[in-house]
Short mmCIF file of all heavy atoms in Angstrom, two decimals:
data_model
loop_
_atom_site.label_atom_id
_atom_site.label_comp_id
_atom_site.label_asym_id
_atom_site.label_seq_id
_atom_site.Cartn_x
_atom_site.Cartn_y
_atom_site.Cartn_z
N ARG D 1 -2.33 6.12 -0.34
CA ARG D 1 -2.07 6.88 0.91
C ARG D 1 -0.90 7.84 0.73
O ARG D 1 -0.92 9.01 1.25
CB ARG D 1 -1.76 5.89 2.05
CG ARG D 1 -1.18 6.47 3.31
CD ARG D 1 -2.14 7.41 4.03
NE ARG D 1 -1.54 7.92 5.27
CZ ARG D 1 -0.69 8.87 5.38
NH1 ARG D 1 -0.24 9.51 4.30
NH2 ARG D 1 -0.23 9.25 6.55
N PHE D 2 0.13 7.46 0.07
CA PHE D 2 1.36 8.28 -0.02
C PHE D 2 1.50 8.92 -1.45
O PHE D 2 2.55 9.50 -1.71
CB PHE D 2 2.59 7.44 0.30
CG PHE D 2 2.58 6.92 1.67
CD1 PHE D 2 2.45 5.52 1.89
CD2 PHE D 2 2.66 7.72 2.81
CE1 PHE D 2 2.47 5.00 3.19
CE2 PHE D 2 2.67 7.21 4.07
CZ PHE D 2 2.56 5.83 4.26
N HIS D 3 0.47 8.75 -2.26
CA HIS D 3 0.44 9.41 -3.57
C HIS D 3 1.64 9.02 -4.41
O HIS D 3 2.41 9.89 -4.95
CB HIS D 3 0.40 10.94 -3.43
CG HIS D 3 -0.70 11.43 -2.48
ND1 HIS D 3 -2.09 11.33 -2.86
CD2 HIS D 3 -0.65 11.92 -1.27
CE1 HIS D 3 -2.79 11.82 -1.83
NE2 HIS D 3 -1.95 12.16 -0.87
N LEU D 4 1.89 7.71 -4.54
CA LEU D 4 3.01 7.24 -5.29
C LEU D 4 2.52 6.67 -6.62
O LEU D 4 1.41 6.15 -6.74
CB LEU D 4 3.71 6.12 -4.51
CG LEU D 4 4.44 6.53 -3.25
CD1 LEU D 4 5.04 5.30 -2.59
CD2 LEU D 4 5.53 7.57 -3.55
N ASP D 5 3.36 6.81 -7.63
CA ASP D 5 3.10 6.23 -8.95
C ASP D 5 4.03 5.08 -9.15
O ASP D 5 5.22 5.29 -9.56
CB ASP D 5 3.26 7.31 -10.04
CG ASP D 5 2.87 6.78 -11.43
OD1 ASP D 5 2.23 5.71 -11.42
OD2 ASP D 5 3.20 7.44 -12.42
N LEU D 6 3.61 3.88 -8.78
CA LEU D 6 4.45 2.69 -8.87
C LEU D 6 4.37 2.04 -10.24
O LEU D 6 3.31 1.99 -10.82
CB LEU D 6 4.07 1.71 -7.76
CG LEU D 6 4.17 2.19 -6.33
CD1 LEU D 6 3.65 1.12 -5.36
CD2 LEU D 6 5.62 2.56 -5.96
N SER D 7 5.48 1.53 -10.66
CA SER D 7 5.51 0.78 -11.92
C SER D 7 5.86 -0.67 -11.58
O SER D 7 6.91 -0.96 -10.98
CB SER D 7 6.54 1.35 -12.87
OG SER D 7 7.84 1.36 -12.30
N MET D 8 4.99 -1.60 -11.90
CA MET D 8 5.16 -2.98 -11.58
C MET D 8 6.05 -3.69 -12.61
O MET D 8 5.98 -3.37 -13.78
CB MET D 8 3.80 -3.72 -11.51
CG MET D 8 2.89 -3.15 -10.38
SD MET D 8 3.63 -3.47 -8.73
CE MET D 8 2.40 -2.63 -7.73
N SER D 9 6.84 -4.65 -12.17
CA SER D 9 7.64 -5.44 -13.03
C SER D 9 7.19 -6.91 -12.95
O SER D 9 6.68 -7.31 -11.90
CB SER D 9 9.13 -5.32 -12.64
OG SER D 9 9.90 -6.25 -13.36
N TRP D 10 7.44 -7.67 -13.98
CA TRP D 10 7.08 -9.07 -13.97
C TRP D 10 7.91 -9.83 -12.92
O TRP D 10 7.56 -10.95 -12.50
CB TRP D 10 7.26 -9.70 -15.32
CG TRP D 10 8.68 -9.71 -15.82
CD1 TRP D 10 9.36 -8.76 -16.53
CD2 TRP D 10 9.65 -10.76 -15.56
NE1 TRP D 10 10.65 -9.15 -16.75
CE2 TRP D 10 10.84 -10.37 -16.15
CE3 TRP D 10 9.60 -11.98 -14.93
CZ2 TRP D 10 12.02 -11.17 -16.14
CZ3 TRP D 10 10.75 -12.77 -14.88
CH2 TRP D 10 11.97 -12.38 -15.49
N LEU D 11 9.04 -9.24 -12.50
CA LEU D 11 9.88 -9.93 -11.49
C LEU D 11 9.21 -10.03 -10.13
O LEU D 11 9.71 -10.77 -9.29
CB LEU D 11 11.20 -9.14 -11.36
CG LEU D 11 12.12 -9.17 -12.59
CD1 LEU D 11 13.32 -8.25 -12.33
CD2 LEU D 11 12.58 -10.59 -12.87
N ILE D 12 8.12 -9.28 -9.96
CA ILE D 12 7.43 -9.34 -8.67
C ILE D 12 6.87 -10.72 -8.42
O ILE D 12 6.76 -11.23 -7.25
CB ILE D 12 6.33 -8.26 -8.57
CG1 ILE D 12 5.80 -8.18 -7.14
CG2 ILE D 12 5.18 -8.58 -9.53
CD1 ILE D 12 4.80 -7.06 -6.96
N VAL D 13 6.51 -11.46 -9.47
CA VAL D 13 5.91 -12.79 -9.32
C VAL D 13 6.96 -13.81 -8.85
O VAL D 13 6.73 -14.44 -7.80
CB VAL D 13 5.27 -13.24 -10.63
CG1 VAL D 13 4.76 -14.69 -10.51
CG2 VAL D 13 4.15 -12.32 -11.02
N PRO D 14 8.12 -13.99 -9.49
CA PRO D 14 9.11 -14.94 -8.97
C PRO D 14 9.67 -14.47 -7.64
O PRO D 14 10.00 -15.30 -6.78
CB PRO D 14 10.16 -14.95 -10.05
CG PRO D 14 9.98 -13.74 -10.84
CD PRO D 14 8.54 -13.42 -10.80
N ALA D 15 9.77 -13.14 -7.42
CA ALA D 15 10.30 -12.61 -6.14
C ALA D 15 9.37 -12.99 -5.00
O ALA D 15 9.81 -13.44 -3.91
CB ALA D 15 10.48 -11.14 -6.25
N ALA D 16 8.04 -12.81 -5.19
CA ALA D 16 7.07 -13.15 -4.15
C ALA D 16 7.07 -14.65 -3.88
O ALA D 16 7.04 -15.06 -2.70
CB ALA D 16 5.69 -12.68 -4.58
N LEU D 17 7.19 -15.46 -4.94
CA LEU D 17 7.24 -16.91 -4.71
C LEU D 17 8.49 -17.36 -4.04
O LEU D 17 8.45 -18.23 -3.16
CB LEU D 17 7.13 -17.62 -6.06
CG LEU D 17 5.82 -17.50 -6.82
CD1 LEU D 17 5.88 -18.19 -8.14
CD2 LEU D 17 4.66 -18.05 -5.96
N LEU D 18 9.63 -16.72 -4.33
CA LEU D 18 10.89 -17.05 -3.67
C LEU D 18 10.86 -16.64 -2.19
O LEU D 18 11.32 -17.41 -1.33
CB LEU D 18 12.05 -16.33 -4.38
CG LEU D 18 13.44 -16.64 -3.84
CD1 LEU D 18 13.76 -18.12 -3.95
CD2 LEU D 18 14.51 -15.82 -4.61
N ILE D 19 10.29 -15.47 -1.89
CA ILE D 19 10.16 -15.04 -0.47
C ILE D 19 9.29 -16.00 0.28
O ILE D 19 9.61 -16.42 1.41
CB ILE D 19 9.63 -13.59 -0.41
CG1 ILE D 19 10.64 -12.62 -1.02
CG2 ILE D 19 9.28 -13.22 1.01
CD1 ILE D 19 10.10 -11.23 -1.17
N ALA D 20 8.14 -16.36 -0.32
CA ALA D 20 7.22 -17.26 0.37
C ALA D 20 7.83 -18.64 0.57
O ALA D 20 7.72 -19.22 1.65
CB ALA D 20 5.93 -17.38 -0.43
N LEU D 21 8.54 -19.16 -0.45
CA LEU D 21 9.19 -20.48 -0.33
C LEU D 21 10.27 -20.48 0.76
O LEU D 21 10.37 -21.40 1.53
CB LEU D 21 9.74 -20.89 -1.70
CG LEU D 21 10.50 -22.22 -1.71
CD1 LEU D 21 9.58 -23.37 -1.32
CD2 LEU D 21 11.09 -22.46 -3.10
N THR D 22 11.12 -19.44 0.73
CA THR D 22 12.21 -19.37 1.69
C THR D 22 11.69 -19.28 3.16
O THR D 22 12.16 -20.01 4.03
CB THR D 22 13.13 -18.18 1.40
OG1 THR D 22 13.60 -18.26 0.07
CG2 THR D 22 14.31 -18.14 2.34
N SER D 23 10.77 -18.36 3.37
CA SER D 23 10.26 -18.21 4.72
C SER D 23 9.46 -19.39 5.20
O SER D 23 9.60 -19.80 6.39
CB SER D 23 9.40 -16.95 4.82
OG SER D 23 8.29 -17.05 3.89
N ALA D 24 8.68 -20.00 4.31
CA ALA D 24 7.92 -21.18 4.68
C ALA D 24 8.84 -22.41 4.97
O ALA D 24 8.60 -23.16 5.90
CB ALA D 24 6.93 -21.56 3.61
N SER D 25 9.95 -22.48 4.23
CA SER D 25 10.90 -23.58 4.48
C SER D 25 11.56 -23.42 5.86
O SER D 25 11.72 -24.38 6.61
CB SER D 25 11.97 -23.61 3.41
OG SER D 25 11.38 -23.82 2.11
N ILE D 26 11.94 -22.19 6.21
CA ILE D 26 12.48 -21.96 7.54
C ILE D 26 11.43 -22.23 8.62
O ILE D 26 11.74 -22.76 9.66
CB ILE D 26 12.98 -20.50 7.63
CG1 ILE D 26 14.12 -20.25 6.62
CG2 ILE D 26 13.51 -20.18 9.06
CD1 ILE D 26 14.62 -18.83 6.53
N GLY D 27 10.20 -21.81 8.32
CA GLY D 27 9.09 -22.05 9.30
C GLY D 27 8.90 -23.55 9.54
O GLY D 27 8.69 -24.00 10.64
N TYR D 28 8.92 -24.34 8.43
CA TYR D 28 8.75 -25.77 8.56
C TYR D 28 9.92 -26.37 9.35
O TYR D 28 9.73 -27.32 10.14
CB TYR D 28 8.69 -26.39 7.18
CG TYR D 28 7.28 -26.59 6.69
CD1 TYR D 28 6.67 -25.62 5.85
CD2 TYR D 28 6.57 -27.73 7.02
CE1 TYR D 28 5.38 -25.84 5.42
CE2 TYR D 28 5.28 -27.90 6.55
CZ TYR D 28 4.67 -26.94 5.77
OH TYR D 28 3.41 -27.09 5.30
N ALA D 29 11.13 -25.85 9.13
CA ALA D 29 12.31 -26.37 9.87
C ALA D 29 12.15 -26.13 11.37
O ALA D 29 12.41 -27.00 12.19
CB ALA D 29 13.60 -25.71 9.33
#
């Protein structure tokens, strides 16, 4: 949509898992 050339990093995997774990833990609380 915005004509961007993004370069992915392997850090996206642990970052996504950390975001999901943190938000889900707060949601469970």
